[in-house]
Amino acid sequence: MRSTAVRRTALAAAAASLVLLVSACGGEGSGGGTKDETKGKGDESAAAKPAAKALSAAELEKAALAQGDVEAHKVIKAGPQDDMAAKDVTTDKAECEPVARALAGVPLGEPVATVKRRVTAEPDAKAAGKGLDDLTDEEIDGAMEGAFDITTSLVALSSYESRGAADAFSALKSAATACAGGFTMTMSGAEQKVLKLTEAKVSGGDEAVAWTMPSEQDGEKLPFNLAVVREGSTFTTFSSFNIMAPEGEPLPLPAAVVDAQVAKLG
């Protein structure tokens, strides 16, 4: 196991209070959704479509991911630790606030309703069925690393009246462009530097966009990513992180999670 693993594992506790969650969801390749490539471009024609009816809280609960919707992933309703208030999320640059809020699963604008899910990939159990005395040092290291090499995604769905979802999408995309060079965010008192934002490929819904964003906290570099999909009046964010992801490499988007959620909304 690499030398920084123990420190990065300890850092996970800080990251949990930082919003970007607590227990793991697997990255699935470098793209987000793999549905219709003609959708999710964020173009003017998509944004110009008539506003769809806002989903109620009950309808959003039905449309949100449930256990069994994503193969090899655990899906649970987000708990109190994932329910951060807007006042608890601040940035050193005002224009970057929408990005920080989306990372925290905090709704943008004034939605009619919001529901959240935490989606966790099953960890790699390399030494399942063996006792520690039966494992070599290399196998123990591999088992430990596999146990922590997991990505967690917080999925937040918000429904809006009129053009609220399209406006939220536009505001977030503009904020990400303005803050491409990085910013500092504080979530419930935990400060973290987002070093830069790089747009990544994702598709689905009427509009879709995503970014990879390396970050740094207490001298440790951690990769995050954020994917956003608007389907009619529903605006969905997917914020993900993995404490054992290779340093210096972008964290793959959770494609299976995005695809499954888009399919339920469609």
Side-chain angles (χ1 to χ4, degrees), residues 32-33 102-103 154 172 201-202 208-211 213 225-229 235-240 253-254 258:
L103 281 170
L154 177 63
L172 180 57
K201 183 179 179 182
V202 67
V209 67
W211 302 272
M213 48 186 77
N225 63 45
L226 175 66
V228 186
V229 178
F235 177 78
T236 305
T237 59
F238 306 80
S239 57
S240 308
L253 298 177
V258 174

Side-chain angles (χ1 to χ4, degrees), residues 22 26 31 46 52 54 56 73 79 92 120 134 150 153 180 221 263:
V22 158
S56 66
H73 288 69
D92 63 336
T120 305
D134 299 322
I150 46 181
S153 292
K221 291 185 178 178

Side-chain angles (χ1 to χ4, degrees), residues 34-217:
T34 56
K35 305 301 183 191
D36 184 356
E37 292 292 338
T38 66
K39 300 181 78 178
K41 306 270 185 195
D43 57 16
E44 292 181 4
S45 61
K49 288 183 179 179
K53 176 183 176 294
L55 299 182
S56 66
E59 289 170 326
L60 271 186
E61 284 288 350
K62 249 186 197 182
L65 291 174
Q67 182 61 30
D69 287 340
V70 191
E71 185 178 356
H73 288 69
K74 180 179 180 180
V75 180
I76 63 173
K77 290 186 178 182
Q81 74 273 18
D82 300 310
D83 194 18
M84 189 168 290
K87 65 180 177 62
D88 296 324
V89 182
T90 60
T91 57
D92 63 336
K93 302 175 183 176
E95 62 270 27
C96 303
E97 197 168 273
V99 179
R101 288 190 178 186
L103 281 170
V106 176
L108 304 182
E110 298 182 2
V112 172
T114 297
V115 301
K116 301 177 186 180
R117 296 290 187 269
R118 201 168 350 138
V119 186
T120 305
E122 296 174 356
D124 181 13
K126 294 179 180 177
K130 290 186 179 181
L132 285 178
D133 292 340
D134 299 322
L135 300 176
T136 65
D137 289 345
E138 290 77 12
E139 287 175 325
I140 291 173
D141 284 351
M144 289 287 290
E145 193 158 343
F148 289 107
D149 187 10
I150 46 181
T151 306
T152 293
S153 292
L154 177 63
V155 183
L157 298 83
S158 296
S159 63
Y160 296 79
E161 294 287 2
S162 187
R163 295 186 51 77
D167 290 344
F169 185 94
S170 177
L172 180 57
K173 193 169 183 180
S174 295
T177 298
C179 300
F183 62 95
T184 298
M185 59 185 178
T186 301
M187 298 182 182
S188 292
E191 184 177 285
Q192 181 148 336
K193 293 181 180 179
V194 173
L195 304 179
K196 65 178 179 178
L197 280 74
T198 302
E199 192 163 330
K201 183 179 179 182
V202 67
S203 61
D206 296 318
E207 300 180 281
V209 67
W211 302 272
T212 59
M213 48 186 77
S215 67
E216 186 175 287
Q217 182 180 17

